[in-house]
Amino acid sequence: QVRLVESGGGLVQPGGSLRLSCVASGSAFRIYGMAWYRQAPGKQRELVADISAMYETNYADSVKGRFTISRNNAEKTLYLQMNSLKPEDTAVYYCYVNYISQYWGQGIQVTVSS
């Protein structure tokens, strides 16, 4: 069982920045495949970015060049640095782990609005 706890969301103006964090339980953190997903009202959940145990990263086209996913294995933490935020980035963001089974965080709201 893997428990995920997200933090760092909130309200930000267009063009601003936020950093999301996701602390994971479990001794096998360093081999987890991890990702951030988001779900906007009335839309399906979509992949934002993922990072493998070998630090290979992948991004949705809509966030390339603006968002950076990273991980700190010593702190068992996944990050999403979000810069140049746009109103269309408004969504609930979810931390995800793929390790034997699939695990989701509780979700955290990010609102981009003036």
Side-chain angles (χ1 to χ4, degrees):
Q1 189 77 12
V2 176
R3 184 168 177 259
L4 304 170
V5 179
E6 298 127 332
S7 62
L11 172 65
V12 64
Q13 291 186 343
S17 298
L18 282 175
R19 187 175 81 157
L20 303 183
S21 300
C22 172
V23 179
S25 65
S27 59
F29 180 88
R30 61 182 176 85
I31 64 172
Y32 294 167
M34 303 190 74
W36 288 98
Y37 283 76
R38 67 186 181 187
Q39 187 166 19
K43 295 188 176 181
Q44 288 190 326
R45 193 172 295 188
E46 63 175 0
L47 175 68
V48 176
D50 60 38
I51 185 167
S52 72
M54 300 302 293
Y55 295 88
E56 298 162 325
T57 59
N58 176 55
Y59 295 90
D61 288 343
S62 59
V63 306
K64 280 181 182 176
R66 301 188 297 122
F67 290 12
T68 302
I69 190 171
S70 61
R71 62 192 295 163
N72 184 319
N73 289 345
E75 296 181 353
K76 297 184 181 180
T77 304
L78 175 73
Y79 298 100
L80 184 68
Q81 178 67 43
M82 304 185 293
N83 299 327
S84 302
L85 282 160
K86 304 175 181 180
E88 51 263 44
D89 295 316
T90 295
V92 177
Y93 284 71
Y94 296 90
C95 178
Y96 167 85
V97 163
N98 184 6
Y99 175 67
I100 300 177
S101 186
Q102 298 179 10
Y103 302 92
W104 294 91
Q106 80 281 4
I108 191 163
Q109 179 69 45
V110 171
T111 302
V112 185
S113 175
S114 55

